[in-house]
Amino acid sequence: MKCDKCNKEAVIFQKYSGMHLCSTHQMADVERKIKRRMRQDRMVLPGDHIAVGMSGGKDSAVTLSILVETFSKRPDIKFTAITIDEGIDGYRNFSIPKVKELCDELGVDHIVVSFKEEIGHTLDDILKRERKEASCTYCGVFRRTLLNRTARSIGANKVATGHNLDDDAQVVIMNIMNGDIERLARMRPDRIQDGLVPRIKPLMDVPEKEIALYAFLKGLPFYMGECPYARESLRGEIKDMLNDFENRHPGTKYSIMRGFDDMIDCIKTKYQQVPLNKCEICGEPGIKGVCQTCKLKERVKIN
Ligand code: SF4
Ligand SMILES: [Zn+2]
Ligand SMILES: [Zn+2]
């Protein structure tokens, strides 16, 4: 098949747009979607110091690479990469070297913060000991806190993550399936919360498959393996379901997000953003009393 824009050999068929694209035009299309979103939401502003959460996978590699390239002529904008090492054997030990390689190529400082040092145990140890929650719950709670705390400690005023269209569509469907509409409302916060570094998601309009192809075509160093715990989660099932739907009904993921954006204002009138308090133990932002991180930390304490 030929590219619909230049007649070169196509590398992808975007079912939802009906376009065949060659490598040059596929890469240009991904960059256009990312830059359009960054512009629309004014994600990057003069003087920003942006901490980029780096897992070593394709999404974070593309996020950092595009941010650094886009703002290469803006010395007032600074980027620092932060990797949270959860301690997942056979996964993080392969992905962290990829982050280091990319950061060296791009000239970006890289900080690694580990569960072992900060929480006292690796995720593998925690899961060997306690399985009351889904593995991603322990991981997500601790990772969010460490990423936020580290970003704040280096003076970053934003955290960029590699969440893509698929991730956001999965979270919308998961919250609906869980009946957790309050959490759905929290996906689009209205204002900055004290102690929480605001998040930006430059890849939110790009399907995962296109990001993978972009990372590959651009020759970015990234780790292709999947977290061994990923398949245990409801999220993994929703991912498969949405991919199946997307295949049979192209454009499903974009439609989910369009519908979500259309109803978010209504949802937020019922579930208004509550101001956060400081955790009584660690001082990190939380709803009230003791934060979820401290509660979980206490439960998984290994004496
Ligand atoms: S899949 Fe779950 S356990 Fe694995 S890194 Fe992601 S959140 Fe953590
Ligand atoms: Zn082309
Ligand atoms: Zn706490």
Side-chain angles (χ1 to χ4, degrees):
M1 275 293 175
K2 299 287 179 196
C3 173
D4 289 316
K5 296 201 172 197
C6 72
N7 225 25
K8 272 199 230 146
E9 206 54 43
V11 293
I12 189 169
F13 174 51
Q14 287 180 345
K15 270 190 175 179
Y16 60 84
S17 70
M19 297 281 282
H20 293 88
L21 296 174
C22 69
S23 54
T24 309
H25 284 108
Q26 131 76 10
M27 290 177 77
D29 189 58
V30 167
E31 288 173 8
R32 180 185 60 82
K33 286 172 178 146
I34 295 173
K35 288 178 182 172
R36 182 186 58 194
R37 173 55 71 174
M38 289 203 288
R39 245 189 344 264
Q40 261 176 18
D41 292 0
R42 305 192 72 223
M43 282 184 184
V44 183
L45 295 173
D48 274 348
H49 177 184
I50 300 180
V52 185
M54 299 288 298
S55 66
K58 61 194 184 313
D59 303 300
S60 55
V62 171
T63 305
L64 185 68
S65 143
I66 291 216
L67 280 170
V68 170
E69 273 179 18
T70 307
F71 298 99
S72 61
K73 294 195 172 70
R74 293 288 304 272
D76 61 315
I77 296 170
K78 184 178 170 185
F79 299 101
T80 304
I82 300 177
T83 299
I84 307 299
D85 178 3
E86 303 92 344
I88 304 172
D89 198 29
Y91 177 53
R92 277 288 170 255
N93 41 329
F94 295 123
S95 59
I96 291 174
K98 297 288 180 188
V99 183
K100 288 197 184 307
E101 194 182 330
L102 180 63
C103 288
D104 285 349
E105 269 178 28
L106 298 172
V108 171
D109 290 339
H110 181 215
I111 300 170
V112 181
V113 179
S114 73
F115 274 25
K116 178 82 184 156
E117 279 174 29
E118 302 291 327
I119 308 294
H121 327 287
T122 63
L123 183 66
D124 286 342
D125 286 344
I126 292 169
L127 295 176
K128 268 184 217 142
R129 189 182 168 84
E130 184 183 294
R131 281 280 192 166
K132 287 189 190 135
E133 313 283 347
S135 27
C136 297
T137 303
Y138 299 98
C139 184
V141 167
F142 292 138
R143 191 149 42 103
R144 261 192 309 278
T145 299
L146 293 185
L147 183 57
N148 185 61
R149 203 168 71 194
T150 311
R152 216 180 46 221
S153 73
I154 58 167
N157 64 327
K158 281 171 195 159
V159 170
T161 62
H163 291 94
N164 56 46
L165 173 71
D166 295 45
D167 293 317
D168 276 5
Q170 287 158 21
V171 174
V172 168
I173 296 299
M174 191 165 68
N175 285 329
I176 291 172
M177 285 173 76
N178 285 334
D180 196 345
I181 307 304
E182 206 242 317
R183 194 179 283 261
L184 197 62
R186 276 192 256 145
M187 286 179 74
R188 295 274 191 277
D190 286 324
R191 59 176 188 277
I192 296 173
Q193 298 270 28
D194 216 20
L196 270 191
V197 184
R199 302 247 171 156
I200 57 170
K201 298 187 284 190
L203 311 189
M204 63 193 278
D205 294 332
V206 190
E208 181 177 25
K209 196 169 116 187
E210 293 176 33
I211 292 166
L213 184 55
Y214 180 93
F216 176 72
L217 292 171
K218 196 153 188 200
L220 297 176
F222 69 94
Y223 179 61
M224 273 187 259
E226 189 180 48
C227 170
Y229 302 116
R231 293 282 130 194
E232 295 173 10
S233 63
L234 170 65
R235 176 91 179 255
E237 288 182 50
I238 292 174
K239 179 178 181 163
D240 292 342
M241 179 185 81
L242 285 183
N243 282 341
D244 182 41
F245 262 81
E246 182 69 39
N247 210 15
R248 288 184 291 123
H249 310 283
T252 294
K253 293 168 191 171
Y254 280 117
S255 303
I256 290 170
M257 294 317 296
R258 205 172 48 244
F260 169 70
D261 282 329
D262 214 19
M263 67 182 174
I264 186 66
D265 287 342
C266 297
I267 300 173
K268 285 204 293 196
T269 54
K270 178 162 183 192
Y271 297 98
Q272 286 165 14
Q273 199 177 0
V274 289
L276 295 179
N277 297 305
K278 284 193 172 177
C279 166
E280 288 166 9
I281 297 177
C282 70
E284 287 296 312
I287 304 289
K288 62 173 181 276
V290 175
C291 76
Q292 218 191 341
T293 304
C294 285
K295 282 183 192 156
L296 265 191
K297 205 170 158 183
E298 182 58 29
R299 263 184 31 201
V300 300
K301 212 183 215 171
I302 300 170
N303 297 309

